[in-house]
Amino acid sequence: MKQVKELRKILSENDALPFLFVGSGISRRYLGLPDWEGLLRSVANLISDDDFFFHKIKRKSQVESGDEGNYNRLMTTLCDNLSAELDAVWFTDDKFSDSRKICRDLDFDNGLSPIKFEISNLISKQRKIKDGYKEEIEKLRGLFKSPPSRIKHQPPHHRKHPPIHAQRPPETCMQNTPGLDLGNHPLHHRSA
C-alpha cells in the first residue's frame, strides 16, 4: 500500500502523463513469439540451412560488440550482422522471390530493408492469442481506452521544469518496419 501511495504522489506531482512500456514479454506470453535471440535465429535459418550459421554470426557479433555481458549491444550487433548477410542473398536468391514480389512496390530507399520485411513476415504469421489469455488481453485493452482522468495537463508555460527529451539509441536495422511495432526495444530505434 505504501508503494501505491508513493506512486500516486509521484504521478500527481509530475507534469507529464505516465506511459506503459510494453516489452517483448507481451508477445511471448500472449502469442508465443520467440525472444529477440530466437527471432534473429529464425532470420538466420531463412538465410542458411547450416546448423552452425547462427552460432557463427552470433560469435562474430560477440567479438565485434566488445562486451559479451551487454545484451542490448550484442543483439544490436547481431541484428546488423544478420541484416548484412540477408542483404547479400535476399535480392537474388530464388528462395526470397515471393518476398520480393510482395515488396515490389515498397520503398527500400526510405527505411525498408530485407531483415525488417522478413521479421515482420515472421511475426505476422502468429496472430492468434494463446488459449487462456483472452480475458487478460481484454483487461489490458481497457488500460489504453483513455488517459488517467485525475492527472491534469499543464500548458508548457506553467511547468516547473523543462520537458525531458529522451536520447535515442544508436542506429540499427529495426526502424520503420511496415506492420511491425517493436515498442521501445533498442533494436527498433535509429538516431535522428
Side-chain angles (χ1 to χ4, degrees):
M1 194 65 180
K2 180 182 175 185
Q3 292 170 333
V4 172
K5 287 180 182 179
E6 287 178 31
L7 181 59
R8 283 186 181 151
K9 181 178 186 283
I10 291 168
L11 291 174
S12 68
E13 293 173 353
N14 198 323
D15 294 333
L17 290 174
F19 66 93
L20 176 64
F21 169 76
V22 178
S24 63
I26 293 288
S27 58
R28 290 178 70 196
R29 177 179 175 90
Y30 298 112
L31 298 175
L33 292 173
D35 62 7
W36 276 109
E37 186 169 336
L39 193 57
L40 294 176
R41 183 183 301 270
S42 296
V43 171
N45 291 338
L46 292 174
I47 299 168
S48 174
D49 295 331
D50 181 352
D51 292 339
F52 293 100
F53 178 74
F54 176 78
H55 300 290
K56 179 182 98 172
I57 300 300
K58 183 177 178 185
R59 182 66 195 136
K60 174 184 175 188
S61 301
Q62 287 170 330
V63 170
E64 288 177 6
S65 69
D67 184 359
E68 293 184 31
N70 186 322
Y71 177 80
N72 289 338
R73 185 177 297 143
L74 173 60
M75 290 297 108
T76 299
T77 305
L78 178 57
C79 180
D80 290 340
N81 285 336
L82 282 170
S83 182
E85 294 285 338
L86 183 59
D87 284 354
V89 296
W90 192 88
F91 291 97
T92 56
D93 194 308
D94 287 342
K95 69 179 168 183
F96 298 105
S97 63
D98 289 340
S99 292
R100 288 192 305 270
K101 286 175 188 170
I102 294 168
C103 289
R104 190 172 309 275
D105 297 326
L106 300 177
D107 193 354
F108 284 94
D109 293 331
N110 287 320
L112 181 64
S113 66
I115 197 167
K116 291 178 190 180
F117 177 80
E118 295 300 339
I119 287 175
S120 178
N121 194 33
L122 287 167
I123 290 173
S124 68
K125 289 177 183 176
Q126 177 58 307
R127 293 286 182 152
K128 185 177 182 285
I129 297 171
K130 288 171 33 179
D131 290 337
Y133 291 109
K134 290 187 181 189
E135 185 178 329
E136 233 175 272
I137 288 288
E138 289 308 312
K139 287 179 181 179
L140 285 172
R141 282 190 180 131
L143 292 174
F144 299 107
K145 289 188 179 175
S146 64
S149 59
R150 293 197 299 172
I151 298 176
K152 185 176 125 183
H153 179 265
Q154 292 180 322
H157 61 279
H158 288 115
R159 290 187 181 143
K160 299 175 197 167
H161 307 287
I164 298 171
H165 298 286
Q167 196 172 16
R168 297 180 84 175
E171 181 174 330
T172 64
C173 62
M174 298 304 299
Q175 182 185 11
N176 298 327
T177 304
L180 178 61
D181 181 7
L182 299 174
N184 196 23
H185 193 281
L187 294 179
H188 177 63
H189 293 283
R190 181 182 300 250
S191 295

